[in-house]
Amino acid sequence: MKINKLSIAVLFLSGSVFYAQETKQDTITKEKKIEGVVIQGSSNKKTETAVLGEQKKAIIQKQAVSAEEISRKGISNVEQGLTKVTGITTVEGRGLFVRGLEERYNYLLINGLGSPSNNPFQKIIALKQFPTDVVGKLNIYKTFNSNLYGDFAGATFDIETLTIDKPFTKVEFSVGVNTLSTFRDNFKVAEGADGMNGYLGLNSRDRRLPEEVRNATPSNYRFTPNESLNSFKDSWNVDNVKTMPNTSIGFTTVQKIKAGETGNLGVLFSLNQSTKYSYREGDNNQYRNNGPSIELSNLLNKKEYEYETESSVLLGLGYKNKGTNVNLNAIYLQNSSNIIEDFTGYKNGQVLDQRFFRTNQQDISRFLDLQLTASQKVGERHQFKAGASYVINSYSQPDRKIFELTKPEDYTHALISYGGNSFIRQYLDVNGRFYGSAFGEYSIFLGDKGDRKDYPLQVSVGYNGFTDIRKNSYRFIFGNPGTGASSVYINIDRPQDVLNNSINNNQLYYNEGSDSYSYLSNIYQFVNAGYANINYKPSETWDILLGGRFENDMRVIRFNRPGNSKREDITPNKNYFLPSLSIKKSLNNKNNIRLSLSKTITRPVLIETMPIEYINPDNSSILGNANIQNSENYNVDLKWEYFPTNKEMFAVNLFAKNR
């Protein structure tokens, strides 16, 4: 008797599957008839080829950076990864620019869920805080479609966290060298900030408001000499250190177990820690309009020393079974920046009054995002997706110390006078009391596929929205002259002993100068939107997506004006209808033409809505405006894509925006 023995070899190459078979003759005593052979294969959707193939096929103009590309190019954080995309650049201290539009015009999603900024001076989280060890794919939407939030002008970034595809464990350690800052002598850091407490961000505890005023309403409290010496745990001194290379260490493990006959349960854990030294020096000038001419107001040289530590933890649980996917993620981010800024030059046009002033500050943010997402296919024609998140979010600048004096000849023996705002301690706290985000979407596929891969008509309806509640506090403590001599000589790097001696001699005392009413404000923001999409494919070469989004944006800002006990509420409440149209024409297998039209809005950065005046010693103060309005944008985008191979794309893009 004869049977056929079938051997199958499967080769995966960037998501493509190739099969080969070999037939051999054999003889056995019992013959059994083989009815057929079923060959099953799977592909990794996070490879560069798979991601580019998805981009080529999709009606939405979306670019992506895959986990494979991230690994191959040695990309260490999300911000670095996004700069590999055409049209995206980074500007130090100002975040990501997309098509020339700065960071304030971008929006961030994490696994499709809204994410608040952990810094009131930035529209979105600084993406360098996301290590790429926790990233499965970075999606970049440069054109708007109705299931995205209406806050869109530059781009929407969607970070898909690492998926549980296959088990692995890895430990990584990296060292980076910066020619300006690595092994630099006399690098200035706040006293004690470069120790273990500073490495973990715990030195912020010593910079909190003193206990005497921490939980009290400002009342011009005057600190006694003993309180002035002992209640402020952080020093005015700075250490001069020799910097080490930038370092990062990470541990990631993914494990999978079988759950039933067809299900899989996965566990993901990732832990990352990094440190970075940065030094910058340059002009920090300001100009003013003086009638017929523009003249210099400030002519300053600025030196900035920054010691930054970042920590991240990701814990993920995932369940997958046929058409069911459920994922639970917990993401924790902490960023601590210890910054010393030294300025020399003149301000306010006072050319002959050469000044020196220093800022010693710490920016500390903590961000915890708990997410649950799920999707379910019901047959071939129905799909449900839903998700929700809860975020605990805080930002503070505790004990931001500023002192100013006439520019000295000898910085180790510099004359300074008490009073006239020569010593200021600022305390800014932005406390996220609650942030919640959710989405839900139902899709139905209509018509007959015939020989095509997709149904000719897809209709989707959905909801997404968020609630963001913040409590803000901004307080000041001043060093004021007491009795006796009001001028002393200090070493600008070690002034604390001289200040302590002046306090003991009643030459100097601290008192709080915050306004009793305007120091505190609350901001509530509620965004809720419903949307509908109709995706029509009349043929294999045409793809049309028509969408409409109705979005309600309501803010409640509660504050007091200086010296006024009457609480004021400003409650802007606006409805927006945001239509979108996307058309794709496949000229052939290698060429696409795309057109996108849409209307969107731009919301302000948080600091711009806070009813405070944020003080900087170089006069670049920020005055918040509780009455600020969203802008409305009209967007046009025309794009030609050429795919010479399944790993390459060449594109020409024309776009226009009007607001």
Side-chain angles (χ1 to χ4, degrees), residues 320-426:
K320 187 174 183 179
N321 187 1
K322 295 183 178 179
T324 303
N325 285 281
V326 181
N327 292 283
L328 177 64
N329 289 307
I331 305 165
Y332 177 75
L333 302 174
Q334 177 178 287
N335 177 270
S336 173
S337 293
N338 296 274
I339 303 169
I340 304 295
E341 294 176 334
D342 286 347
F343 299 82
T344 54
Y346 70 81
K347 300 186 295 182
N348 302 320
Q350 302 297 313
V351 179
L352 300 180
D353 186 14
Q354 295 291 308
R355 311 293 291 174
F356 170 85
F357 50 97
R358 168 175 289 174
T359 300
N360 176 344
Q361 75 182 55
Q362 180 186 27
D363 294 4
I364 178 83
S365 65
R366 296 180 175 93
F367 176 91
L368 175 63
D369 191 352
L370 306 175
Q371 297 186 334
L372 176 64
T373 59
S375 65
Q376 176 68 56
K377 289 184 178 179
V378 181
E380 291 189 358
R381 292 182 178 270
H382 304 273
Q383 184 177 33
F384 297 88
K385 295 191 297 184
S389 68
Y390 170 66
V391 178
I392 301 172
N393 187 24
S394 67
Y395 171 89
S396 64
Q397 281 183 353
D399 201 1
R400 183 181 187 233
K401 293 182 281 291
I402 301 169
F403 71 83
E404 182 174 347
L405 63 155
T406 300
K407 182 181 176 182
E409 294 291 333
D410 182 358
Y411 285 94
T412 65
H413 191 68
L415 182 66
I416 189 169
S417 299
Y418 299 136
N421 296 334
S422 57
F423 287 92
I424 305 175
R425 311 180 89 129
Q426 299 179 6

